[in-house]
Amino acid sequence: MKKIIVFLLCMFCITPSFATMMCKHKSTYIASVSKSTNGTSHSVTNATNKTWSATFPQYTITGNAACNDISGTTGTANTALYTVAADEGVHCWCEMQRPISSYWVYLKSYSDKSACASGCASDCGAAIQSNATYRTNVLDAVW
């Protein structure tokens, strides 16, 4: 009898690595997000607040973008950075908010502040949607 119970428990715990699994319990959920699967679309959800989203087959990733004067290396998280959408600068940073929060991760620099202000949020969404290396770096920067 013990062998049957152990077998059944193992069957419930083993899932294929390509599957997306969500469990909901008391207003919380756990989602398995694929780092290697590209999304189907991205958008700027609020240009003033520099929020973006990237849609994938089973889930949507949302986040914030910010421009400031702090440079970085593309794909590298800054665990001490505090920045907001109203900041100005030529350096674009992205953070994930859902399904879980990440640290700010450097994306790129622009030629001037206005170019960063108008393009950073869209470029964050695009990078999360279609750049597996950048998406992996953001997902690895979860706090």
PDB file of all heavy atoms in Angstrom, residues 86-126:
ATOM      1  N   ALA A  86       9.146  59.018 -13.746  1.00  0.00           N
ATOM      2  CA  ALA A  86       9.335  60.457 -13.921  1.00  0.00           C
ATOM      3  C   ALA A  86      10.805  60.867 -14.028  1.00  0.00           C
ATOM      4  O   ALA A  86      11.104  61.990 -14.445  1.00  0.00           O
ATOM      5  CB  ALA A  86       8.681  61.208 -12.762  1.00  0.00           C
ATOM      6  N   ASP A  87      11.725  59.965 -13.697  1.00  0.00           N
ATOM      7  CA  ASP A  87      13.151  60.296 -13.808  1.00  0.00           C
ATOM      8  C   ASP A  87      13.509  60.538 -15.273  1.00  0.00           C
ATOM      9  O   ASP A  87      12.845  60.033 -16.185  1.00  0.00           O
ATOM     10  CB  ASP A  87      14.012  59.164 -13.251  1.00  0.00           C
ATOM     11  CG  ASP A  87      13.925  59.052 -11.739  1.00  0.00           C
ATOM     12  OD1 ASP A  87      13.398  59.979 -11.106  1.00  0.00           O
ATOM     13  OD2 ASP A  87      14.381  58.027 -11.200  1.00  0.00           O
ATOM     14  N   GLU A  88      14.574  61.302 -15.493  1.00  0.00           N
ATOM     15  CA  GLU A  88      15.012  61.605 -16.860  1.00  0.00           C
ATOM     16  C   GLU A  88      16.468  61.225 -17.039  1.00  0.00           C
ATOM     17  O   GLU A  88      17.275  61.357 -16.124  1.00  0.00           O
ATOM     18  CB  GLU A  88      14.830  63.093 -17.148  1.00  0.00           C
ATOM     19  CG  GLU A  88      13.393  63.536 -17.152  1.00  0.00           C
ATOM     20  CD  GLU A  88      13.241  65.011 -17.488  1.00  0.00           C
ATOM     21  OE1 GLU A  88      14.267  65.717 -17.610  1.00  0.00           O
ATOM     22  OE2 GLU A  88      12.100  65.448 -17.639  1.00  0.00           O
ATOM     23  N   GLY A  89      16.791  60.774 -18.236  1.00  0.00           N
ATOM     24  CA  GLY A  89      18.157  60.408 -18.578  1.00  0.00           C
ATOM     25  C   GLY A  89      18.165  59.638 -19.877  1.00  0.00           C
ATOM     26  O   GLY A  89      17.129  59.445 -20.508  1.00  0.00           O
ATOM     27  N   VAL A  90      19.342  59.201 -20.274  1.00  0.00           N
ATOM     28  CA  VAL A  90      19.480  58.494 -21.552  1.00  0.00           C
ATOM     29  C   VAL A  90      19.570  56.978 -21.382  1.00  0.00           C
ATOM     30  O   VAL A  90      19.582  56.252 -22.359  1.00  0.00           O
ATOM     31  CB  VAL A  90      20.714  58.996 -22.344  1.00  0.00           C
ATOM     32  CG1 VAL A  90      20.556  60.468 -22.707  1.00  0.00           C
ATOM     33  CG2 VAL A  90      22.003  58.753 -21.577  1.00  0.00           C
ATOM     34  N   HIS A  91      19.623  56.506 -20.133  1.00  0.00           N
ATOM     35  CA  HIS A  91      19.791  55.075 -19.881  1.00  0.00           C
ATOM     36  C   HIS A  91      18.452  54.434 -19.511  1.00  0.00           C
ATOM     37  O   HIS A  91      17.773  54.871 -18.593  1.00  0.00           O
ATOM     38  CB  HIS A  91      20.819  54.842 -18.773  1.00  0.00           C
ATOM     39  CG  HIS A  91      22.166  55.375 -19.127  1.00  0.00           C
ATOM     40  ND1 HIS A  91      22.977  54.759 -20.060  1.00  0.00           N
ATOM     41  CD2 HIS A  91      22.838  56.471 -18.711  1.00  0.00           C
ATOM     42  CE1 HIS A  91      24.100  55.446 -20.187  1.00  0.00           C
ATOM     43  NE2 HIS A  91      24.032  56.495 -19.380  1.00  0.00           N
ATOM     44  N   CYS A  92      18.090  53.377 -20.236  1.00  0.00           N
ATOM     45  CA  CYS A  92      16.804  52.691 -20.082  1.00  0.00           C
ATOM     46  C   CYS A  92      16.960  51.457 -19.202  1.00  0.00           C
ATOM     47  O   CYS A  92      17.809  50.601 -19.456  1.00  0.00           O
ATOM     48  CB  CYS A  92      16.273  52.296 -21.460  1.00  0.00           C
ATOM     49  SG  CYS A  92      14.734  51.357 -21.434  1.00  0.00           S
ATOM     50  N   TRP A  93      16.098  51.375 -18.176  1.00  0.00           N
ATOM     51  CA  TRP A  93      16.060  50.256 -17.246  1.00  0.00           C
ATOM     52  C   TRP A  93      14.671  49.641 -17.266  1.00  0.00           C
ATOM     53  O   TRP A  93      13.680  50.349 -17.407  1.00  0.00           O
ATOM     54  CB  TRP A  93      16.383  50.735 -15.832  1.00  0.00           C
ATOM     55  CG  TRP A  93      17.790  51.199 -15.653  1.00  0.00           C
ATOM     56  CD1 TRP A  93      18.300  52.432 -15.946  1.00  0.00           C
ATOM     57  CD2 TRP A  93      18.875  50.431 -15.144  1.00  0.00           C
ATOM     58  NE1 TRP A  93      19.634  52.480 -15.651  1.00  0.00           N
ATOM     59  CE2 TRP A  93      20.015  51.264 -15.143  1.00  0.00           C
ATOM     60  CE3 TRP A  93      18.996  49.128 -14.677  1.00  0.00           C
ATOM     61  CZ2 TRP A  93      21.251  50.825 -14.703  1.00  0.00           C
ATOM     62  CZ3 TRP A  93      20.237  48.688 -14.235  1.00  0.00           C
ATOM     63  CH2 TRP A  93      21.352  49.529 -14.247  1.00  0.00           C
ATOM     64  N   CYS A  94      14.579  48.339 -17.087  1.00  0.00           N
ATOM     65  CA  CYS A  94      13.296  47.630 -17.081  1.00  0.00           C
ATOM     66  C   CYS A  94      13.190  46.797 -15.805  1.00  0.00           C
ATOM     67  O   CYS A  94      14.185  46.239 -15.350  1.00  0.00           O
ATOM     68  CB  CYS A  94      13.197  46.674 -18.268  1.00  0.00           C
ATOM     69  SG  CYS A  94      13.639  47.378 -19.862  1.00  0.00           S
ATOM     70  N   GLU A  95      11.978  46.717 -15.270  1.00  0.00           N
ATOM     71  CA  GLU A  95      11.723  45.817 -14.150  1.00  0.00           C
ATOM     72  C   GLU A  95      10.422  45.080 -14.396  1.00  0.00           C
ATOM     73  O   GLU A  95       9.494  45.621 -14.976  1.00  0.00           O
ATOM     74  CB  GLU A  95      11.678  46.550 -12.811  1.00  0.00           C
ATOM     75  CG  GLU A  95      10.438  47.368 -12.578  1.00  0.00           C
ATOM     76  CD  GLU A  95      10.284  47.871 -11.152  1.00  0.00           C
ATOM     77  OE1 GLU A  95      10.981  47.394 -10.246  1.00  0.00           O
ATOM     78  OE2 GLU A  95       9.441  48.752 -10.957  1.00  0.00           O
ATOM     79  N   MET A  96      10.375  43.830 -13.963  1.00  0.00           N
ATOM     80  CA  MET A  96       9.170  43.028 -14.083  1.00  0.00           C
ATOM     81  C   MET A  96       8.348  43.209 -12.803  1.00  0.00           C
ATOM     82  O   MET A  96       8.897  43.258 -11.709  1.00  0.00           O
ATOM     83  CB  MET A  96       9.577  41.558 -14.263  1.00  0.00           C
ATOM     84  CG  MET A  96       8.442  40.594 -14.376  1.00  0.00           C
ATOM     85  SD  MET A  96       8.993  38.902 -14.750  1.00  0.00           S
ATOM     86  CE  MET A  96      10.158  38.556 -13.444  1.00  0.00           C
ATOM     87  N   GLN A  97       7.013  43.324 -12.964  1.00  0.00           N
ATOM     88  CA  GLN A  97       6.121  43.437 -11.819  1.00  0.00           C
ATOM     89  C   GLN A  97       5.242  42.210 -11.641  1.00  0.00           C
ATOM     90  O   GLN A  97       4.900  41.858 -10.528  1.00  0.00           O
ATOM     91  CB  GLN A  97       5.236  44.678 -11.959  1.00  0.00           C
ATOM     92  CG  GLN A  97       5.967  45.960 -11.662  1.00  0.00           C
ATOM     93  CD  GLN A  97       6.436  45.994 -10.208  1.00  0.00           C
ATOM     94  OE1 GLN A  97       5.649  45.818  -9.291  1.00  0.00           O
ATOM     95  NE2 GLN A  97       7.722  46.183 -10.007  1.00  0.00           N
ATOM     96  N   ARG A  98       4.826  41.597 -12.745  1.00  0.00           N
ATOM     97  CA  ARG A  98       3.983  40.409 -12.684  1.00  0.00           C
ATOM     98  C   ARG A  98       4.466  39.414 -13.724  1.00  0.00           C
ATOM     99  O   ARG A  98       4.822  39.832 -14.802  1.00  0.00           O
ATOM    100  CB  ARG A  98       2.514  40.760 -12.978  1.00  0.00           C
ATOM    101  CG  ARG A  98       1.919  41.647 -11.918  1.00  0.00           C
ATOM    102  CD  ARG A  98       0.449  41.406 -11.763  1.00  0.00           C
ATOM    103  NE  ARG A  98      -0.300  42.311 -10.947  1.00  0.00           N
ATOM    104  CZ  ARG A  98      -0.056  42.680  -9.708  1.00  0.00           C
ATOM    105  NH1 ARG A  98       0.998  42.243  -9.106  1.00  0.00           N
ATOM    106  NH2 ARG A  98      -0.844  43.486  -9.050  1.00  0.00           N
ATOM    107  N   PRO A  99       4.542  38.159 -13.433  1.00  0.00           N
ATOM    108  CA  PRO A  99       3.913  37.478 -12.313  1.00  0.00           C
ATOM    109  C   PRO A  99       4.653  37.635 -10.988  1.00  0.00           C
ATOM    110  O   PRO A  99       4.138  37.244  -9.947  1.00  0.00           O
ATOM    111  CB  PRO A  99       3.878  36.023 -12.749  1.00  0.00           C
ATOM    112  CG  PRO A  99       5.020  35.875 -13.681  1.00  0.00           C
ATOM    113  CD  PRO A  99       5.146  37.200 -14.367  1.00  0.00           C
ATOM    114  N   ILE A 100       5.871  38.203 -11.018  1.00  0.00           N
ATOM    115  CA  ILE A 100       6.639  38.413  -9.787  1.00  0.00           C
ATOM    116  C   ILE A 100       7.578  39.586 -10.034  1.00  0.00           C
ATOM    117  O   ILE A 100       7.897  39.907 -11.175  1.00  0.00           O
ATOM    118  CB  ILE A 100       7.401  37.119  -9.404  1.00  0.00           C
ATOM    119  CG1 ILE A 100       7.946  37.199  -7.993  1.00  0.00           C
ATOM    120  CG2 ILE A 100       8.482  36.814 -10.412  1.00  0.00           C
ATOM    121  CD1 ILE A 100       8.377  35.859  -7.439  1.00  0.00           C
ATOM    122  N   SER A 101       8.016  40.234  -8.984  1.00  0.00           N
ATOM    123  CA  SER A 101       8.858  41.430  -9.118  1.00  0.00           C
ATOM    124  C   SER A 101      10.323  41.078  -9.310  1.00  0.00           C
ATOM    125  O   SER A 101      10.833  40.122  -8.730  1.00  0.00           O
ATOM    126  CB  SER A 101       8.723  42.311  -7.874  1.00  0.00           C
ATOM    127  OG  SER A 101       7.415  42.780  -7.752  1.00  0.00           O
ATOM    128  N   SER A 102      10.986  41.906 -10.127  1.00  0.00           N
ATOM    129  CA  SER A 102      12.425  41.749 -10.331  1.00  0.00           C
ATOM    130  C   SER A 102      13.122  43.058  -9.987  1.00  0.00           C
ATOM    131  O   SER A 102      12.485  44.103  -9.858  1.00  0.00           O
ATOM    132  CB  SER A 102      12.724  41.389 -11.793  1.00  0.00           C
ATOM    133  OG  SER A 102      12.552  42.516 -12.633  1.00  0.00           O
ATOM    134  N   TYR A 103      14.431  42.970  -9.866  1.00  0.00           N
ATOM    135  CA  TYR A 103      15.240  44.178  -9.749  1.00  0.00           C
ATOM    136  C   TYR A 103      15.245  44.877 -11.096  1.00  0.00           C
ATOM    137  O   TYR A 103      14.859  44.310 -12.121  1.00  0.00           O
ATOM    138  CB  TYR A 103      16.679  43.828  -9.352  1.00  0.00           C
ATOM    139  CG  TYR A 103      16.810  43.332  -7.933  1.00  0.00           C
ATOM    140  CD1 TYR A 103      17.046  41.988  -7.669  1.00  0.00           C
ATOM    141  CD2 TYR A 103      16.702  44.203  -6.857  1.00  0.00           C
ATOM    142  CE1 TYR A 103      17.169  41.524  -6.370  1.00  0.00           C
ATOM    143  CE2 TYR A 103      16.826  43.754  -5.555  1.00  0.00           C
ATOM    144  CZ  TYR A 103      17.060  42.411  -5.314  1.00  0.00           C
ATOM    145  OH  TYR A 103      17.172  41.961  -4.038  1.00  0.00           O
ATOM    146  N   TRP A 104      15.716  46.120 -11.120  1.00  0.00           N
ATOM    147  CA  TRP A 104      15.880  46.845 -12.383  1.00  0.00           C
ATOM    148  C   TRP A 104      17.024  46.211 -13.164  1.00  0.00           C
ATOM    149  O   TRP A 104      18.090  45.931 -12.606  1.00  0.00           O
ATOM    150  CB  TRP A 104      16.182  48.308 -12.121  1.00  0.00           C
ATOM    151  CG  TRP A 104      15.009  49.079 -11.595  1.00  0.00           C
ATOM    152  CD1 TRP A 104      14.750  49.384 -10.296  1.00  0.00           C
ATOM    153  CD2 TRP A 104      13.932  49.623 -12.358  1.00  0.00           C
ATOM    154  NE1 TRP A 104      13.575  50.092 -10.207  1.00  0.00           N
ATOM    155  CE2 TRP A 104      13.050  50.253 -11.454  1.00  0.00           C
ATOM    156  CE3 TRP A 104      13.622  49.640 -13.717  1.00  0.00           C
ATOM    157  CZ2 TRP A 104      11.889  50.898 -11.869  1.00  0.00           C
ATOM    158  CZ3 TRP A 104      12.469  50.281 -14.121  1.00  0.00           C
ATOM    159  CH2 TRP A 104      11.613  50.900 -13.207  1.00  0.00           C
ATOM    160  N   VAL A 105      16.786  45.983 -14.455  1.00  0.00           N
ATOM    161  CA  VAL A 105      17.788  45.376 -15.336  1.00  0.00           C
ATOM    162  C   VAL A 105      18.049  46.348 -16.481  1.00  0.00           C
ATOM    163  O   VAL A 105      17.118  46.829 -17.130  1.00  0.00           O
ATOM    164  CB  VAL A 105      17.303  44.006 -15.880  1.00  0.00           C
ATOM    165  CG1 VAL A 105      18.330  43.405 -16.815  1.00  0.00           C
ATOM    166  CG2 VAL A 105      17.000  43.060 -14.725  1.00  0.00           C
ATOM    167  N   TYR A 106      19.324  46.633 -16.712  1.00  0.00           N
ATOM    168  CA  TYR A 106      19.705  47.607 -17.745  1.00  0.00           C
ATOM    169  C   TYR A 106      19.379  47.069 -19.137  1.00  0.00           C
ATOM    170  O   TYR A 106      19.654  45.909 -19.445  1.00  0.00           O
ATOM    171  CB  TYR A 106      21.199  47.923 -17.647  1.00  0.00           C
ATOM    172  CG  TYR A 106      21.621  49.053 -18.553  1.00  0.00           C
ATOM    173  CD1 TYR A 106      21.356  50.369 -18.206  1.00  0.00           C
ATOM    174  CD2 TYR A 106      22.283  48.805 -19.747  1.00  0.00           C
ATOM    175  CE1 TYR A 106      21.739  51.422 -19.029  1.00  0.00           C
ATOM    176  CE2 TYR A 106      22.665  49.844 -20.576  1.00  0.00           C
ATOM    177  CZ  TYR A 106      22.391  51.150 -20.214  1.00  0.00           C
ATOM    178  OH  TYR A 106      22.764  52.183 -21.024  1.00  0.00           O
ATOM    179  N   LEU A 107      18.787  47.943 -19.976  1.00  0.00           N
ATOM    180  CA  LEU A 107      18.490  47.558 -21.354  1.00  0.00           C
ATOM    181  C   LEU A 107      19.459  48.214 -22.334  1.00  0.00           C
ATOM    182  O   LEU A 107      20.209  47.527 -23.013  1.00  0.00           O
ATOM    183  CB  LEU A 107      17.046  47.900 -21.729  1.00  0.00           C
ATOM    184  CG  LEU A 107      16.625  47.488 -23.136  1.00  0.00           C
ATOM    185  CD1 LEU A 107      16.758  45.978 -23.343  1.00  0.00           C
ATOM    186  CD2 LEU A 107      15.198  47.932 -23.424  1.00  0.00           C
ATOM    187  N   LYS A 108      19.445  49.570 -22.407  1.00  0.00           N
ATOM    188  CA  LYS A 108      20.317  50.242 -23.369  1.00  0.00           C
ATOM    189  C   LYS A 108      20.313  51.737 -23.124  1.00  0.00           C
ATOM    190  O   LYS A 108      19.553  52.248 -22.311  1.00  0.00           O
ATOM    191  CB  LYS A 108      19.870  49.950 -24.797  1.00  0.00           C
ATOM    192  CG  LYS A 108      18.506  50.529 -25.161  1.00  0.00           C
ATOM    193  CD  LYS A 108      18.139  50.129 -26.589  1.00  0.00           C
ATOM    194  CE  LYS A 108      17.103  51.020 -27.193  1.00  0.00           C
ATOM    195  NZ  LYS A 108      16.859  50.707 -28.601  1.00  0.00           N
ATOM    196  N   SER A 109      21.165  52.446 -23.888  1.00  0.00           N
ATOM    197  CA  SER A 109      21.174  53.911 -23.813  1.00  0.00           C
ATOM    198  C   SER A 109      20.640  54.479 -25.124  1.00  0.00           C
ATOM    199  O   SER A 109      20.691  53.826 -26.174  1.00  0.00           O
ATOM    200  CB  SER A 109      22.578  54.432 -23.537  1.00  0.00           C
ATOM    201  OG  SER A 109      23.429  54.150 -24.621  1.00  0.00           O
ATOM    202  N   TYR A 110      20.130  55.686 -25.038  1.00  0.00           N
ATOM    203  CA  TYR A 110      19.568  56.402 -26.187  1.00  0.00           C
ATOM    204  C   TYR A 110      20.423  57.635 -26.475  1.00  0.00           C
ATOM    205  O   TYR A 110      21.240  58.038 -25.653  1.00  0.00           O
ATOM    206  CB  TYR A 110      18.125  56.829 -25.897  1.00  0.00           C
ATOM    207  CG  TYR A 110      17.161  55.678 -25.825  1.00  0.00           C
ATOM    208  CD1 TYR A 110      17.034  54.926 -24.664  1.00  0.00           C
ATOM    209  CD2 TYR A 110      16.368  55.325 -26.907  1.00  0.00           C
ATOM    210  CE1 TYR A 110      16.151  53.866 -24.583  1.00  0.00           C
ATOM    211  CE2 TYR A 110      15.477  54.264 -26.840  1.00  0.00           C
ATOM    212  CZ  TYR A 110      15.377  53.546 -25.672  1.00  0.00           C
ATOM    213  OH  TYR A 110      14.501  52.491 -25.605  1.00  0.00           O
ATOM    214  N   SER A 111      20.179  58.257 -27.610  1.00  0.00           N
ATOM    215  CA  SER A 111      20.951  59.431 -27.998  1.00  0.00           C
ATOM    216  C   SER A 111      20.626  60.654 -27.146  1.00  0.00           C
ATOM    217  O   SER A 111      21.474  61.510 -26.939  1.00  0.00           O
ATOM    218  CB  SER A 111      20.730  59.758 -29.477  1.00  0.00           C
ATOM    219  OG  SER A 111      19.345  59.999 -29.709  1.00  0.00           O
ATOM    220  N   ASP A 112      19.396  60.735 -26.640  1.00  0.00           N
ATOM    221  CA  ASP A 112      19.007  61.851 -25.774  1.00  0.00           C
ATOM    222  C   ASP A 112      17.867  61.444 -24.852  1.00  0.00           C
ATOM    223  O   ASP A 112      17.277  60.375 -25.009  1.00  0.00           O
ATOM    224  CB  ASP A 112      18.645  63.102 -26.583  1.00  0.00           C
ATOM    225  CG  ASP A 112      17.533  62.865 -27.587  1.00  0.00           C
ATOM    226  OD1 ASP A 112      16.464  62.350 -27.189  1.00  0.00           O
ATOM    227  OD2 ASP A 112      17.722  63.188 -28.778  1.00  0.00           O
ATOM    228  N   LYS A 113      17.543  62.332 -23.904  1.00  0.00           N
ATOM    229  CA  LYS A 113      16.524  62.038 -22.896  1.00  0.00           C
ATOM    230  C   LYS A 113      15.135  61.835 -23.496  1.00  0.00           C
ATOM    231  O   LYS A 113      14.395  60.957 -23.068  1.00  0.00           O
ATOM    232  CB  LYS A 113      16.457  63.175 -21.868  1.00  0.00           C
ATOM    233  CG  LYS A 113      17.681  63.289 -21.016  1.00  0.00           C
ATOM    234  CD  LYS A 113      17.571  64.483 -20.067  1.00  0.00           C
ATOM    235  CE  LYS A 113      18.836  64.640 -19.262  1.00  0.00           C
ATOM    236  NZ  LYS A 113      18.756  65.764 -18.327  1.00  0.00           N
ATOM    237  N   SER A 114      14.790  62.624 -24.505  1.00  0.00           N
ATOM    238  CA  SER A 114      13.446  62.502 -25.080  1.00  0.00           C
ATOM    239  C   SER A 114      13.285  61.181 -25.837  1.00  0.00           C
ATOM    240  O   SER A 114      12.213  60.576 -25.818  1.00  0.00           O
ATOM    241  CB  SER A 114      13.112  63.693 -25.980  1.00  0.00           C
ATOM    242  OG  SER A 114      13.969  63.744 -27.090  1.00  0.00           O
ATOM    243  N   ALA A 115      14.336  60.716 -26.491  1.00  0.00           N
ATOM    244  CA  ALA A 115      14.275  59.423 -27.177  1.00  0.00           C
ATOM    245  C   ALA A 115      14.095  58.289 -26.169  1.00  0.00           C
ATOM    246  O   ALA A 115      13.317  57.355 -26.402  1.00  0.00           O
ATOM    247  CB  ALA A 115      15.537  59.199 -28.012  1.00  0.00           C
ATOM    248  N   CYS A 116      14.771  58.386 -25.034  1.00  0.00           N
ATOM    249  CA  CYS A 116      14.609  57.368 -23.992  1.00  0.00           C
ATOM    250  C   CYS A 116      13.190  57.417 -23.432  1.00  0.00           C
ATOM    251  O   CYS A 116      12.542  56.382 -23.291  1.00  0.00           O
ATOM    252  CB  CYS A 116      15.632  57.577 -22.874  1.00  0.00           C
ATOM    253  SG  CYS A 116      15.655  56.230 -21.661  1.00  0.00           S
ATOM    254  N   ALA A 117      12.701  58.621 -23.152  1.00  0.00           N
ATOM    255  CA  ALA A 117      11.359  58.770 -22.576  1.00  0.00           C
ATOM    256  C   ALA A 117      10.285  58.186 -23.489  1.00  0.00           C
ATOM    257  O   ALA A 117       9.321  57.576 -23.024  1.00  0.00           O
ATOM    258  CB  ALA A 117      11.074  60.237 -22.289  1.00  0.00           C
ATOM    259  N   SER A 118      10.461  58.344 -24.789  1.00  0.00           N
ATOM    260  CA  SER A 118       9.429  57.873 -25.724  1.00  0.00           C
ATOM    261  C   SER A 118       9.599  56.414 -26.147  1.00  0.00           C
ATOM    262  O   SER A 118       8.642  55.786 -26.591  1.00  0.00           O
ATOM    263  CB  SER A 118       9.381  58.768 -26.962  1.00  0.00           C
ATOM    264  OG  SER A 118      10.585  58.656 -27.694  1.00  0.00           O
ATOM    265  N   GLY A 119      10.789  55.848 -25.999  1.00  0.00           N
ATOM    266  CA  GLY A 119      11.018  54.499 -26.507  1.00  0.00           C
ATOM    267  C   GLY A 119      11.307  53.417 -25.487  1.00  0.00           C
ATOM    268  O   GLY A 119      11.192  52.222 -25.787  1.00  0.00           O
ATOM    269  N   CYS A 120      11.642  53.800 -24.275  1.00  0.00           N
ATOM    270  CA  CYS A 120      12.102  52.822 -23.281  1.00  0.00           C
ATOM    271  C   CYS A 120      11.046  51.770 -22.935  1.00  0.00           C
ATOM    272  O   CYS A 120      11.337  50.579 -22.911  1.00  0.00           O
ATOM    273  CB  CYS A 120      12.580  53.555 -22.032  1.00  0.00           C
ATOM    274  SG  CYS A 120      13.290  52.488 -20.762  1.00  0.00           S
ATOM    275  N   ALA A 121       9.817  52.190 -22.663  1.00  0.00           N
ATOM    276  CA  ALA A 121       8.781  51.227 -22.264  1.00  0.00           C
ATOM    277  C   ALA A 121       8.502  50.216 -23.373  1.00  0.00           C
ATOM    278  O   ALA A 121       8.407  49.011 -23.117  1.00  0.00           O
ATOM    279  CB  ALA A 121       7.501  51.954 -21.866  1.00  0.00           C
ATOM    280  N   SER A 122       8.395  50.688 -24.604  1.00  0.00           N
ATOM    281  CA  SER A 122       8.151  49.782 -25.724  1.00  0.00           C
ATOM    282  C   SER A 122       9.326  48.829 -25.918  1.00  0.00           C
ATOM    283  O   SER A 122       9.135  47.630 -26.172  1.00  0.00           O
ATOM    284  CB  SER A 122       7.895  50.577 -27.004  1.00  0.00           C
ATOM    285  OG  SER A 122       7.677  49.699 -28.080  1.00  0.00           O
ATOM    286  N   ASP A 123      10.538  49.353 -25.787  1.00  0.00           N
ATOM    287  CA  ASP A 123      11.720  48.510 -25.961  1.00  0.00           C
ATOM    288  C   ASP A 123      11.848  47.468 -24.848  1.00  0.00           C
ATOM    289  O   ASP A 123      12.316  46.357 -25.086  1.00  0.00           O
ATOM    290  CB  ASP A 123      12.977  49.367 -26.059  1.00  0.00           C
ATOM    291  CG  ASP A 123      13.068  50.115 -27.384  1.00  0.00           C
ATOM    292  OD1 ASP A 123      12.320  49.782 -28.323  1.00  0.00           O
ATOM    293  OD2 ASP A 123      13.895  51.043 -27.481  1.00  0.00           O
ATOM    294  N   CYS A 124      11.413  47.808 -23.633  1.00  0.00           N
ATOM    295  CA  CYS A 124      11.404  46.817 -22.541  1.00  0.00           C
ATOM    296  C   CYS A 124      10.449  45.675 -22.880  1.00  0.00           C
ATOM    297  O   CYS A 124      10.806  44.498 -22.765  1.00  0.00           O
ATOM    298  CB  CYS A 124      10.978  47.466 -21.226  1.00  0.00           C
ATOM    299  SG  CYS A 124      12.233  48.497 -20.440  1.00  0.00           S
ATOM    300  N   GLY A 125       9.238  46.016 -23.310  1.00  0.00           N
ATOM    301  CA  GLY A 125       8.267  44.993 -23.680  1.00  0.00           C
ATOM    302  C   GLY A 125       8.761  44.126 -24.824  1.00  0.00           C
ATOM    303  O   GLY A 125       8.611  42.901 -24.807  1.00  0.00           O
ATOM    304  N   ALA A 126       9.379  44.773 -25.823  1.00  0.00           N
ATOM    305  CA  ALA A 126       9.905  44.025 -26.973  1.00  0.00           C
ATOM    306  C   ALA A 126      11.034  43.089 -26.562  1.00  0.00           C
ATOM    307  O   ALA A 126      11.117  41.949 -27.034  1.00  0.00           O
ATOM    308  CB  ALA A 126      10.379  44.997 -28.047  1.00  0.00           C
TER     309      ALA A 126
END
